[in-house]
Amino acid sequence: MVITLNKNINIVFNDIKKICKSPDLNIRIINDNIGYIFLESVSSDDKISNFLVKSILNTINHTSKFNLYKKIKNNFLNSKVVVIKSYKDLYYYLTCGYTIVVINGYKNKLAIETRENLDRGITEPTVETTIKGPKDSFCENINKNIGLIRKRIKDSNLSIKQYIVGRRTKTSVNILYIKDIANYNIVKSIDRKINSIDIDGIIDINYIKDFIIENSSTFPLVINTERPDVCTSHLLEGKIIIMMDNCPNAIIIPGLLINFIHSAEDNYSKSINSSITRFLRFLALIITITTPALYIAITTFNQEILPDTLLLSLITQRLKVPFPNSLSIFILMITFEILRESDIRLPSQMGTSISVVGALVLGEAAVSAGLVSPMAVIVIAITSITGLLFVDPDIINAFRIWRIIFLIFSSFMGIIGFVCAGILFITKLCSLEAFGVPYLEPYSPFNKSIFNDSIITKPRNKLFTRENYITKNIRRLKK
Amino acid sequence: MKKLILIFIILLLTGCMNYNELNNLAIITTIGIDKDNDNYNVSFLVSTDTESNIVIKGNGKNISLSFDDAIKKLSKNAYFGHLKLILIDSKIAKEGITDVIDFLIRNYETIKKIRLVLVEDAKTSDILNIPIKLDNFSSNNILNILSSSNKRLSNSHDVLLSDFVYKIINYGYDNVLPVITINNGDIEVKNIGIFNNDKLVGYLDEYLSVIFNILTNNANSFNINLDGIMIKIDSSKSSIKLKDSTYHFYVDIKGFIIESNKKLEYTNEDMSNINKLLKEKIKYSVDNLINYSILSNSDILGLGNLLYRKDFYLYKKDYLKSINYEINISSSIQNQGALEKSLKDVIDEKN
């Protein structure tokens, strides 16, 4: 519904007062012909009085009534001026922190940017911390976030598309990609999906994630990051980035399993060292999923595998425990998950108390009370610590689900069940596709061109090609 | 959702087959089998925890009945998955070991990598009851005694149940088993017992056991006494070949002098003399071993198998009686240990 704006200044002001009954609405009339409106809560008083009022007053003193609009429009000291033609736009710009200048006798109104800084500025990353490398992270302001990317890529091919999503929130969502590298089909499909979103409001980038990925798999198919340098390196690979206002995270499309094994640190250390750390992470992936299941399968079904000294010490540990082995593993796993959750939710001042309680409950008391055996505690400790090697909470949760599936299968069928769960797991991973790219690329299907930057990485001067499953323009390093 | 329910039902239908909680297991690591007056006596060595073992006995008309009798006395599930060692009374072996082996091979639970050991002049239950000094459990203790004496002296021979059965099934082989006994309250490796088919027919003495280990390439290191000069052999290789109905025994040994109560010059002449002596001694002993094997009609070196594989028409029942053989020994004594001169020489020089 577009209602055309009235020419009469008083009618316009009355209408606005009717639409927006809010205590922070400020209306000021300079003289009969000119007035301005702004919302106190989102606009900066300094900017209004320093630039806007001064320039209006300067202009009306030297100008006749008839070309007032044109003169004022051109004489503003502010850089950003928008012409408004409807109430809908007017209200949108008003809430964005613009000041609307209303001139009597003209239908079009002028919106001048007088936005207040309502974000916390650029701070250090809190989740994806690194030792080396840049220390800036995204904040809640999308302009700053895009600025952080632009600072890093000064290519004219970097294109940014803006969408306004949410009937009520009217949040700006941007997709970023480098035109001559990115796969246009993926860009088109994302474009279509974002355009078709019709929701009352979006709060976080995760809302958009749900709309653009139809797969219900537990494994994340996009990478969630708060680091502009990670975004930049993925943009250069030909991936696509979605950013949103009021959200300090960006998502990178598509995300493959191998991307979750990588971390930002890998790019900033020697290639041989990062190869070793990546291999450790890969090992941790296997350990964190399979350890409890293997423990249960071996100790309750296939004891023959154990060396007899270990078997006897396990038996001695278990003599006082009344519950089945699998139950005590379940109890411990749930306890750990509760501890982890509480650790995330608690304010940092109370974190130490939780860790003390957790360590005592898990490490000491449960064993001496005869609830679990010490070996079970060790198993869960190994599982949880290896699980924390990964940054993305989505992948950690995916591992958690598969860990439980493995555990259930092994506690019913032993090693055979373990193998069954393994087949399910591998089948699931192989069947996944992130925007047309196989999830296990470059291992299945094997892809030689990017094998060099998967778990084993070569030095930068040897990495000649981009990841050719995403882009056709694969030459990264010119010979 | 339907899929999930289906998977869950499939899981439940397995009924947790083979489920066994650890604390319900009685781990039997060693079995001893005795026989008196047609009655089998078995004794199980049950490891309760890392430090202590208990011995449980049972008897019956045959082995399975006596097993059942022993299992009755256990408060937990008898678990044979970690069975490592089976002690068999040599009296049973003299009458024929087939019954015991047959029972063991039929059992699903046991792994086939069990060591078989004969016990001479003692009851197997007595051996199991001997308090352990260095190891955690008795089975390990006995196995370690065997393996360590094999490593230092090469006088015992490791025999797995699977090897034993293999030799019974195939043509032209006869089995050997290590023999242990109790000496002054300690377990001691005695010698190697040799079989004709399934019956124990004789023993190799300690020296012949070493020679047997050389010829089967199982010798690690051993000492040889050459009229007061002790030589430690630290590497030995051997092979048996059948050419034109003559067996050729090739033995190649290397060693060094570890002790000498004679005055030695260590010149080339001296060393070649020692070498010659060593060769003669080894040759004599190999000859002895083969003769003993022929005499007791026990083909422990697998000569018949060579014949059978070459031409099974030539393979007859008493082929051992009519074999020709040739022995080729090569030996080298590399050095005199860590000494350049013997200490006696040094003292003589000083005076």
Side-chain angles (χ1 to χ4, degrees), chain B residues 56-72:
Chain B
I56 289 192
K57 293 176 188 172
N59 56 352
K61 282 266 177 251
N62 54 31
I63 297 176
S64 18
L65 281 178
S66 51
F67 262 57
D68 292 346
D69 192 37
I71 286 169
K72 267 185 236 164

Side-chain angles (χ1 to χ4, degrees), chain A residues 158-399:
Chain A
L158 173 67
S159 54
I160 302 171
K161 273 190 187 174
Q162 201 190 33
Y163 307 84
I164 305 291
V165 182
R167 287 192 306 274
R168 292 183 196 280
T169 55
K170 301 233 177 348
T171 320
S172 103
V173 173
N174 292 37
I175 67 174
L176 284 78
Y177 57 93
I178 297 181
K179 230 184 281 172
D180 55 342
I181 313 176
N183 186 337
Y184 190 64
N185 291 335
I186 302 183
V187 175
K188 233 166 45 182
S189 85
I190 292 169
D191 179 87
R192 202 185 61 241
K193 279 168 183 167
I194 292 183
N195 271 328
S196 69
I197 298 175
D198 189 11
I199 190 175
D200 56 345
I202 57 170
I203 313 292
D204 189 78
I205 198 86
N206 202 40
Y207 285 49
I208 295 177
K209 217 194 280 181
D210 286 347
F211 278 102
I212 58 175
I213 299 168
E214 276 117 16
N215 200 319
S216 63
S217 161
T218 50
F219 281 92
L221 303 179
V222 296
I223 310 162
N224 206 326
T225 183
E226 56 169 356
R227 294 181 67 95
D229 52 324
V230 172
C231 281
T232 313
S233 77
H234 282 289
L235 270 177
L236 292 174
E237 294 296 325
K239 298 197 179 180
I240 298 148
I241 295 192
I242 302 184
M243 281 190 201
M244 200 191 95
D245 206 2
N246 309 322
C247 175
N249 289 316
I251 55 176
I252 300 164
I253 292 168
L256 308 181
L257 187 66
I258 199 76
N259 295 129
F260 297 97
I261 292 172
H262 297 174
S263 96
E265 188 85 45
D266 296 350
N267 294 334
Y268 309 129
S269 46
K270 222 170 159 46
S271 65
I272 176 78
N273 295 340
S274 51
S275 299
I276 293 169
T277 18
R278 280 176 184 186
F279 180 72
L280 280 180
R281 273 190 223 114
F282 180 69
L283 209 65
L285 185 154
I286 296 166
I287 289 173
T288 194
I289 294 176
T290 58
T291 318
L294 262 184
Y295 172 68
I296 290 299
I298 289 174
T299 54
T300 55
F301 288 87
N302 303 79
Q303 293 95 348
E304 299 86 2
I305 299 170
L306 290 172
D308 43 6
T309 335
L310 180 61
L311 179 71
L312 282 175
S313 80
L314 286 180
I315 289 178
T316 337
Q317 288 172 18
R318 271 200 56 79
L319 282 177
K320 287 176 192 164
V321 183
F323 306 122
N325 223 345
S326 37
L327 186 66
S328 55
I329 284 281
F330 267 114
I331 293 174
L332 273 179
M333 253 163 80
I334 291 166
T335 320
F336 174 77
E337 289 305 329
I338 291 171
L339 274 175
R340 186 164 75 98
E341 190 61 23
S342 65
D343 203 29
I344 298 168
R345 301 290 153 245
L346 265 184
S348 55
Q349 299 94 314
M350 288 152 80
T352 40
S353 64
I354 269 295
S355 58
V356 167
V357 169
L360 284 178
V361 166
L362 276 175
E364 274 307 314
V367 172
S368 52
L371 282 175
V372 291
S373 68
M375 195 63 195
V377 177
I378 293 171
V379 165
I380 291 301
I382 289 171
T383 318
S384 346
I385 288 170
T386 46
L388 295 176
L389 244 71
F390 302 91
V391 185
D392 199 322
D394 286 341
I395 197 101
I396 295 177
N397 294 342
F399 291 161

